[in-house]
Amino acid sequence: MGGAHVGVLDVLAGEGFRPEVIVGSSAGAAVGAVFAAGKLDEFASLISDMSFIKSLGLYVDPVFPYSGLLAGNRARAFLRELLGDAAIEDLPVKFAAVATDLLTGETVAIDSGPLADAVMASIAIPGIFRPVVHMGRLLTDGGVSDPLPIDILRNYAPDIVIACNLHPRMTTRYSQANRRKIVEAERSARSLDDDLASGMIERVIGLVKSQIPSTGEVLKALPRALAERLTAENRGAILNSDIVKWLRETIDEKATFLDGIKELATVRPAEKWRMSIVDIILNVMNIQQYQKNRLMLKYEPPDILIEPDVVDIAALEFNKSALAMEEGRRKAAEAVVELRRLVTRWGGQSGRSDPK
């Protein structure tokens, strides 16, 4: 959700530094759009009280996992509710959301058109959300090609460049002991996974073969059984104990079928330490962004670099947004003195007092 970005922008604005140009990728695009639309306080209030369960209602809409696990419709609706129908070109702040063309690999700076659509394209994590069709392109998360888009920002000729890097190091969430457990869990799961498909198919076929005939017989017998029990002598006593007992026995008889299905869907205890597909996708994105950001900072160093230490807060840990915001505020406050010095120097050289 970009809690650290919220904290950084909150402090800078409070100190009188209101950016005239904002360029962001992924979470940076989302928070940058919120700031440009004048909704930062509203957004900060929303995510500071965000539980994990509450957050699920904002973005979780599973689809058949063909091009993504989630459709993205709920996330888009949330963005539209927050940002309205604002167009980027009508914002008081110059803004661009960075996305990635999935077919050409190009970095795409979206600086016109519907704000919510631009942000949705920039935050569409590949594999998690379906790619976004926008501007005649198939777009995915901006972090794939340009997670710290200083190069894009320079195209708008800013006087002072401030960068907020959320990947200054790799995560320490995985201790050495836990890494061993994860590796061992994956190793031991290999033999089970090799036989999973054939084993499951055999169990399903056996279960269906044994249960379908009796299920069909019960369904065919239901009208006759009801008619026999709703005779004139007991009509009006539908809920008497005899009827209830019969229904209970019928349901119990079919419970074995449901139990079999439940057994098939049960996760093995050994899988506790295995990484899910979501874990893997997010870890890949974090590694990629860390490496890309190192190169960007080497070849396109900003005037001011703010690096909130939120690496160990996972992307979907929305319940830790308040901690991320506080860390963003702390790091931004540390940069204020240097920023004032730059502004003073820049103003003396140009005759202006408000850099863009």
Side-chain angles (χ1 to χ4, degrees), residues 82-139:
L82 182 66
L83 302 172
D85 296 323
I88 295 175
E89 53 268 37
D90 295 333
L91 296 172
V93 177
K94 184 68 177 177
F95 173 76
V98 175
T100 303
D101 189 309
L102 197 58
L103 304 181
T104 67
E106 294 174 272
T107 297
V108 181
I110 309 172
D111 57 9
S112 64
L115 182 59
D117 290 349
V119 173
M120 189 63 225
S122 186
I123 67 172
I125 302 172
I128 304 295
F129 290 107
R130 290 186 304 190
V132 172
V133 177
H134 185 60
M135 300 170 55
R137 295 175 180 262
L138 194 62
L139 299 176

Side-chain angles (χ1 to χ4, degrees), residues 74-232:
R74 285 195 173 188
R76 189 188 297 271
F78 168 69
L79 291 171
R80 286 195 180 280
E81 183 178 350
L82 182 66
L83 302 172
D85 296 323
I88 295 175
E89 53 268 37
D90 295 333
L91 296 172
V93 177
K94 184 68 177 177
F95 173 76
V98 175
T100 303
D101 189 309
L102 197 58
L103 304 181
T104 67
E106 294 174 272
T107 297
V108 181
I110 309 172
D111 57 9
S112 64
L115 182 59
D117 290 349
V119 173
M120 189 63 225
S122 186
I123 67 172
I125 302 172
I128 304 295
F129 290 107
R130 290 186 304 190
V132 172
V133 177
H134 185 60
M135 300 170 55
R137 295 175 180 262
L138 194 62
L139 299 176
T140 192
D141 197 298
V144 171
S145 61
D146 202 344
L148 191 63
I150 300 174
D151 54 333
I152 304 297
L153 176 62
R154 290 197 189 280
N155 292 336
Y156 297 97
D159 299 313
I160 294 176
V161 173
I162 303 172
C164 181
N165 176 26
L166 301 188
H167 298 274
R169 61 177 177 84
M170 283 302 300
T171 181
T172 56
R173 285 199 307 272
Y174 303 111
S175 66
Q176 186 173 0
N178 285 350
R179 291 199 299 271
R180 284 198 297 266
K181 291 177 181 177
I182 292 170
V183 171
E184 184 53 39
E186 288 293 336
R187 191 199 323 276
S188 27
R190 288 299 179 262
S191 59
L192 294 172
D193 285 347
D194 290 342
D195 295 332
L196 181 60
S198 58
M200 181 173 285
I201 290 172
E202 290 176 2
R203 292 173 69 186
V204 169
I205 291 175
L207 190 61
V208 169
K209 279 184 176 179
S210 65
Q211 294 298 327
I212 283 181
S214 59
T215 302
E217 291 170 5
V218 169
L219 291 175
K220 291 177 182 178
L222 275 176
R224 184 177 67 255
L226 287 172
E228 291 174 354
R229 284 161 174 74
L230 295 179
T231 59

Side-chain angles (χ1 to χ4, degrees), residues 165-170 290 293-294 297 307-311:
N165 176 26
L166 301 188
H167 298 274
R169 61 177 177 84
M170 283 302 300
Y290 167 69
N293 288 3
R294 289 176 62 199
L297 291 172
E307 295 186 310
D309 191 359
V310 293
V311 175

